[in-house]
Amino acid sequence: MRIISGKFKGRRIFPPKNLPVRPTTDMSKEALFNVLNNHFSFEGLKVLDLFAGTGNISFEFASRGSDNITSVDADFGCVKFIKQVASEYDFNIAALKSDVFKFLERNNSTYSIIFADPPYALDQTTFEKIVLTIFDKNMLQEDGMMIIEHSKYTKLDHLIHFSFKKSYGGSIFSFFEMDKSTDEEVDEDDLFDFSEE
């Protein structure tokens, strides 16, 4: 696992092998941040990383200058590792051990970017619940964006506030924005081509 860009570009991070995770690949992560780079200046962003796992995505945001990051995962080992790396690199990351849905129920904050990488094995309804809960609770800032990573077997483009999706390898990133709804036709395929050679 390596940091793609920012202050710690190229730095490799080695999580324990026994963590129950499926980290976003470096290639997929680079593709994701190429999209985000066209929408945001990372400095000052308030980021929420759900199902944070190794902290892979949180570290990338931190390296690029985001200084208010909350990482949520139910696994003690994952949270411990994120805290260790955050301390080592002086990242402003609050790592919380919590069931994601319980966290969402309690949360009263809003965020510039919300990223969620649930286990691919979760059913369709559970993925939809993540999206609906976040928008029902108005957790996304007005110009913010939510991204969910999922497999090709999960379909989220029928949900309100869906904006566009990108596929890369075996992963799909679905993007949601406050000012988007299913009534709008949005297609950014001409802007970003992440298909593998």
Side-chain angles (χ1 to χ4, degrees), residues 9-179:
K9 178 179 179 179
R11 191 69 57 90
R12 293 196 173 273
I13 297 174
F14 301 94
K17 295 184 182 299
N18 61 345
L19 297 182
V21 297
R22 174 199 40 76
T24 302
T25 66
D26 285 348
M27 288 189 297
S28 295
K29 183 171 64 170
E30 186 166 13
L32 167 65
F33 277 87
N34 283 342
V35 174
L36 295 177
N37 197 48
N38 284 277
H39 290 265
F40 296 96
S41 172
F42 293 102
E43 291 187 10
L45 288 183
K46 187 176 182 182
V47 177
L48 176 61
D49 184 7
L50 300 173
F51 306 94
T54 61
N56 191 11
I57 297 296
S58 293
F59 303 149
E60 192 68 37
F61 275 111
S63 178
R64 292 168 186 248
S66 301
D67 59 0
N68 189 338
I69 301 167
T70 301
S71 304
V72 181
D73 199 277
D75 184 77
F76 174 79
C78 290
V79 172
K80 180 181 178 182
F81 178 70
I82 294 171
K83 288 181 176 180
Q84 288 174 344
V85 175
S87 176
E88 180 180 349
Y89 290 91
D90 197 28
F91 290 154
N92 187 20
I93 299 175
L96 305 178
K97 182 184 179 301
S98 175
D99 173 82
V100 164
F101 291 102
K102 290 180 179 178
F103 171 85
L104 293 177
E105 289 172 8
R106 297 190 303 264
N107 178 70
N108 293 313
S109 296
T110 61
Y111 302 89
S112 315
I113 294 178
I114 299 175
F115 178 83
D117 183 12
Y120 282 8
L122 294 182
D123 60 28
Q124 173 82 26
T125 302
T126 304
F127 274 88
E128 292 178 0
K129 182 180 177 182
I130 297 167
V131 178
L132 296 174
T133 300
I134 285 169
F135 282 103
D136 284 348
K137 296 199 65 178
N138 296 312
M139 291 173 57
L140 202 61
Q141 294 174 3
E142 183 176 353
D143 296 325
M145 182 176 282
M146 178 174 68
I147 308 102
I148 295 191
E149 182 176 350
H150 57 92
S151 77
K152 64 182 179 181
Y153 302 106
T154 300
K155 309 297 183 184
L156 301 176
D157 49 1
H158 62 287
L159 296 176
I160 191 169
H161 300 299
F162 175 83
S163 183
F164 61 97
K165 64 183 177 183
K166 289 291 149 195
S167 60
Y168 199 83
S171 299
I172 294 177
F173 297 108
S174 287
F175 296 78
F176 297 81
E177 298 177 79
M178 284 296 295
D179 60 348

